[in-house]
Amino acid sequence: MCGITGYFQLHSPCPPDRDLIGRMVNILRHRGPDEFGTFLSDRCVLGHSRLSIIDLSTGQQPLSNEDGTVWITFNGEVFNYVELRPELEKLGHRFRTHSDTEVIVHAYEEWGKECVQRFNGQFAFAILDKRNNSLFVARDRLGIRPVFYALHHGRFYFASEIKAIFCDPSIPRRIDLCGLDEIFTWWTTAPPRTAFEGISELEAGCWIEVRDGAIRRGRYWQMEFPEAF
């Protein structure tokens, strides 16, 4: 597994907080001790702690497309990336690594938010699209890979674990009593609720887009239970 984290400014751009993202990545180092990376801009900061599995030599993250307009931090595996890559190459996309991460980047370039429909795997990722100043966060169909998020003082935070979000000391740390009751009842909370007020978990098969000062949520897949004949 790997660790992903970062934040996105909803409104006014501001200088990136290098110290904060350093702490956020460091606290996730147990998820990926092999490499650590960050991408910094006045609108968005991405962080990654990597457990090297695929493309050991050139799969460093955060990773971008050819012109640096789309950046990703990604946790998980896309099992059908080998099939998707030649399809994207025929559409004109050029690759510089052999990683499944880069396939996600080009799939997003080609199909936008609908790219998640094409992936067979377990994943949580965040994509910064500098072309329209947006952040796209998605989670796999069954929620195997975790991603949590919070909105605080005009800044959207996300991370593989809640403690990375709490690296910003200004974010309140208050127990959600309903979430605590769910833990005592079911051993866990039911997403999007967590054990902390103001911290949410992205539900399985869902995505979030942060754009133009607004946060939109969508569901691209859900389990169906047809009636028995």
Side-chain angles (χ1 to χ4, degrees), residues 181-227:
D181 180 65
E182 289 182 358
I183 291 173
F184 289 151
T185 304
W186 302 318
W187 292 15
T188 188
T189 55
R193 187 185 297 280
T194 71
F196 298 94
E197 293 182 6
I199 307 291
S200 300
E201 181 178 1
L202 183 59
E203 296 169 86
C206 290
W207 55 260
I208 285 179
E209 183 183 51
V210 187
R211 182 176 178 180
D212 299 328
I215 299 174
R216 296 176 55 239
R217 293 179 66 257
R219 178 179 291 279
Y220 68 91
W221 185 88
Q222 62 183 0
M223 191 173 293
E224 296 181 356
F225 300 93
E227 295 183 5

